[in-house]
Amino acid sequence: MEVMVNTDGEGGSDGGGGDPMCVDDNANAVVEMGVGVDQGKGGPQHDIVGNDGVMEGQGAVSNSGDEMGKRGYGDEAETEEAATVHGSKEGTEELLRKVVFSEEEAYKLYCDYGHRMGFSIRKGKQSYFTGTKRIRTKDYFCSKEGLKEGEKLTDANFNDPHTRTNCKAMVRFRVNDQGEWKVIRLVSDHNHNLARPEERHLLRSARSLIAGRSSSVEAMLYGGFQAPGAHSQIPLGSTSVTNNTETSKQDLLPCYSSMARTPVIGNGDLQNLVRHLKSRANEDGMFYWDVQIDRGGRMTNFFWRDGRSRIDYDCFGDVVVFDSTYRLNKHNLICAPFVGVNHHWQGTMYGCALLADESMSSFVWLFKSFLEAMGNRHPRSIFTNQDQVMSKAIEEVFPNTCHRISRWHIQKNAASRLGALNGSKAFNKLFTKCMQGCDSEAEFGETWAEMLSEFKLEDNKWLKKLYKLRQKWCGALNKHTFDGGVEYEPQCDSLSNIFNCIADKFTSLSAIAVAVDKLTEDWREKEFDEDMRCSQKPPACIIKHSDILNHAAKVYTHRIYKLFETDFLDGCGATKFKELQCEGSNTYQFEMTMQGRGSRVCTVHFDMTTMQLNCSCSKFETMGLLCPHALKALSIKNVCSIPETYILKRWTKDAKKWGFNPKQYESSYRECMDDEAAYCNHVMHYAYDLVVKSQGHEELRKSLWETLESGEKELEKYLENVTQYALSYAPLERSID
């Protein structure tokens, strides 16, 4: 005995009436009488709805067949050996033969069948085993099942994708005790026209399918493009076959050509891009690239990163800036880099994407591909523009990452939204303070209200919308979120719109990829120069005999040291303090006021027993460097070195050693020794970083080769001793036996 329930078609149902969630909760489909009109006829039928077919209060209703009243839902298949098929059996072999093991797989199987035949899918009813929540049977319908209340069928609207035609096409799966989902009933005929082959990639229920190597090659071939060869390094990346019309408001319009969704890109241009990526993969053993292919076989979205980018992300990937504002005029593609900041506070490239559109499916695909390329390590913060669709994709793929709207993007929009106000120094002062200068939520609220009142902006729609998103851009509301200083000058300018300086809007795709490579190499040259400078001598300390400054000069890179030194001088030379009474003998509290910067008071708590510092300005939490107030507290109590807890490894000269040499962390070293996968991962990345560092320097390459040869000899010697030891005990064991 099963219990029948109705579902609302969530998570991928196709509404057919413009709303993908428009599914009748109480509709009963006719599955015994599945004889529809031949697919080529497609006209209104006058005998579709019986007298009892219309239900009050429903957006879409269906018939209730006689047989459904004679037995329980799903009971008819109890004794059947094979599925019952009503209508044509053309193209049904895989659907009827295949066994799946979940509701998701069953839905995907029918979606694949629907895509091959040319119709979209809606989720239907399901029944459960009595007294349980285990699904017994599940129905899926053609998206044109049922009738929309109040809508009359005519020759003009019958084949409109928004019109329900009471199509009887459906499938019923049944689950056995072993959890196997099998088709027990199929109605294959439709009473409306089906989508032509060239239109089928537009069907809304064609969801993302992650394909293996063979299917991705087939997809490229189907699209008329040269497939990668057997040695093309595709296993280093994954290839997705994805429908990109998920967010479209149409199911399928006859006039909606494939060119409306996929940019017109010449085969030669695509082949050159693929050839370039394949060449990079052959040169770089850790190179990763990914391409998304739509249902029509067209390559739509690309993502790639080289091996060095993975190394850099492992070291500095706590903050990511994603810029999707640059669009190529030639192909109308979006060029979107993933960038961050390294230990010298310079730009570093994590990867780049070419996107066909700004749909939810494109962003979700891209972010998942980025995560896969980076070992599924999520950033702590990601800065983007103010795109709502992208924001939803970030929530889905990066649920634990703080999403921030970039300051430069807000300022760019303000230039076009606020007109003459952008030239007002008084307005810009208040607006900038709202973004970065407020110390608390209350101060932000007061400053925002003052700005609106003074410049009569209470009714400005753009500012109202911006205020609703304040949690994503107001510094006062993100005082405990690490941002690596990417919102400060000059980082804000150097990391925004980087494509403006590397390529013309009419550049070919392969030239864009080459330009990205060139920019990346330029950044890495600057990083190498800074590494060399840091290794040759420490930075000059403005106070030569300051122990804490000498300590900072020893551990930090030159650029970060200068930031630290500035805060130290501000703290010790331009800060007034008041010490407050505390209960513990080694616990102290100070109220700090910076001279010449108003009356703002910051409170510092300092526990000398644990060397724990906490300041209300939260600079360490956001930037990873101690603030002037905390440094003043250390000076007052004669602490002459930076507490180890407050030396963020990403800012040190040895940032990459900390990232890849597990001996730097006792816990990581133990993990590597105990877990083979962790050991392989760390050693490969560590060795790869050494190889990259030695490139272009003959002496370094020679030294690395000698080191590897020496290590190889040690390994061989050890293995030889182990083998001899094992052989020497073998005769003894045999004699004992």
Side-chain angles (χ1 to χ4, degrees), residues 369-423:
S369 181
F370 176 80
L371 267 186
E372 181 181 339
M374 299 306 183
N376 291 311
R377 178 189 167 193
H378 293 233
R380 293 168 64 180
S381 301
I382 184 168
F383 289 79
T384 72
N385 60 28
Q386 199 175 332
D387 188 283
Q388 293 183 356
V389 175
M390 183 198 303
S391 180
K392 292 179 180 179
I394 289 173
E395 289 177 8
E396 178 177 331
V397 183
F398 302 110
N400 299 318
T401 297
C402 178
H403 179 209
R404 305 278 296 278
I405 298 174
S406 298
R407 173 187 169 191
W408 62 264
H409 176 75
I410 294 175
Q411 291 174 327
K412 180 181 178 181
N413 279 348
S416 60
R417 302 279 186 168
L418 301 177
L421 277 177
N422 290 281

Side-chain angles (χ1 to χ4, degrees), residues 343 538-544 546 548-568 625 642 651 653:
H343 52 322
C541 296
I542 198 168
I543 304 176
K544 293 184 179 180
S546 168
I548 198 167
L549 284 183
N550 282 317
H551 184 207
K554 182 180 179 181
V555 297
Y556 289 132
T557 62
H558 285 211
R559 184 83 179 273
I560 298 303
Y561 168 78
K562 286 302 178 183
L563 297 176
F564 180 92
E565 185 181 71
T566 300
D567 284 344
F568 177 79
L625 292 172
I642 308 168
W651 298 131
K653 298 173 185 177

Side-chain angles (χ1 to χ4, degrees), residues 502-519:
I502 68 172
D504 180 80
K505 288 179 178 287
F506 293 93
T507 305
S508 66
L509 301 185
S510 56
I512 281 287
V514 172
V516 172
D517 292 344
K518 178 64 169 60
L519 174 68

Side-chain angles (χ1 to χ4, degrees), residues 137-371:
T137 61
K138 178 72 177 181
D139 287 358
Y140 298 101
F141 302 117
C142 170
S143 64
K144 295 171 79 69
E145 179 267 348
L147 293 168
K148 291 179 67 176
E149 184 178 12
E151 182 177 50
K152 294 183 179 180
L153 296 178
T154 65
D155 290 326
N157 71 5
F158 195 84
N159 285 300
D160 189 302
H162 297 280
T163 302
R164 298 283 186 85
T165 64
N166 206 27
C167 181
K168 301 298 191 300
M170 58 85 67
V171 69
R172 175 170 296 164
F173 286 87
R174 184 167 176 209
V175 190
N176 62 21
D177 294 336
Q178 288 73 43
E180 297 176 335
W181 290 59
K182 298 180 181 179
V183 173
I184 62 169
R185 184 168 299 281
L186 174 67
V187 178
S188 60
D189 286 341
H190 298 257
N191 67 350
H192 55 88
N193 289 338
L194 301 179
R196 298 188 297 271
E198 64 270 21
E199 299 171 331
R200 290 173 186 171
H201 68 286
L202 299 176
L203 294 168
R204 291 190 62 188
S205 61
R207 298 300 185 185
S208 177
L209 306 173
I210 303 301
R213 178 177 179 179
S214 60
S215 57
S216 61
V217 171
E218 290 172 5
M220 290 185 186
L221 290 172
Y222 182 78
F225 305 121
Q226 180 181 354
H231 305 288
S232 64
Q233 300 287 332
I234 274 188
L236 296 174
S238 65
T239 308
S240 302
V241 182
T242 306
N243 173 267
N244 270 339
T245 59
E246 181 176 336
T247 56
S248 172
K249 293 184 179 180
Q250 297 128 313
D251 180 69
L252 179 62
L253 296 179
C255 62
Y256 192 70
S257 71
S258 60
M259 297 302 179
R261 294 294 296 175
T262 304
V264 182
I265 306 173
N267 285 8
D269 208 358
L270 278 171
Q271 288 176 346
N272 287 337
L273 175 61
V274 171
R275 189 177 297 113
H276 173 78
L277 297 178
K278 288 167 59 180
S279 175
R280 291 297 315 280
N282 287 326
E283 297 168 359
D284 182 347
M286 286 182 62
F287 190 89
Y288 177 102
W289 66 285
D290 199 353
V291 57
Q292 187 181 32
I293 303 170
D294 69 11
R295 288 290 189 172
R298 285 174 295 275
M299 293 184 254
T300 57
N301 300 319
F302 288 84
F303 170 74
W304 70 92
R305 62 109 179 110
D306 64 11
R308 175 68 181 275
S309 291
R310 170 64 190 273
I311 300 294
D312 290 338
Y313 184 82
D314 284 343
C315 295
F316 313 116
D318 39 18
V319 179
V320 171
V321 179
F322 176 65
D323 179 11
S324 63
T325 60
Y326 187 85
R327 190 179 288 271
L328 289 174
N329 285 347
K330 183 176 181 180
H331 302 301
N332 202 33
L333 287 173
I334 300 161
C335 299
F338 292 86
V339 298
V341 290
N342 62 17
H343 52 322
H344 301 295
W345 216 34
Q346 299 169 321
T348 184
M349 181 72 69
Y350 299 139
C352 188
L354 292 172
L355 299 177
D357 56 33
E358 296 174 283
S359 66
M360 179 73 171
S361 60
S362 288
F363 283 130
V364 167
W365 171 86
L366 174 60
F367 294 147
K368 287 183 176 180
S369 181
F370 176 80
L371 267 186

Side-chain angles (χ1 to χ4, degrees), residues 635-693:
S635 178
I636 294 170
K637 293 303 173 182
N638 298 314
V639 178
C640 298
S641 63
I642 308 168
E644 192 68 26
T645 307
Y646 298 98
I647 300 177
L648 201 64
K649 301 304 183 289
R650 70 151 3 260
W651 298 131
T652 66
K653 298 173 185 177
D654 296 330
K656 292 193 173 180
K657 291 182 181 178
W658 288 97
F660 299 110
N661 186 351
K663 287 189 176 181
Q664 302 285 356
Y665 297 109
E666 183 62 29
S667 60
S668 296
Y669 183 67
R670 287 197 303 270
E671 179 188 358
C672 284
M673 294 300 101
D674 296 338
D675 185 273
E676 290 187 6
Y679 170 77
C680 290
N681 184 57
H682 274 85
V683 171
M684 288 176 64
H685 287 184
Y686 192 31
Y688 182 87
D689 190 50
L690 294 177
V691 171
V692 171
K693 287 179 179 178

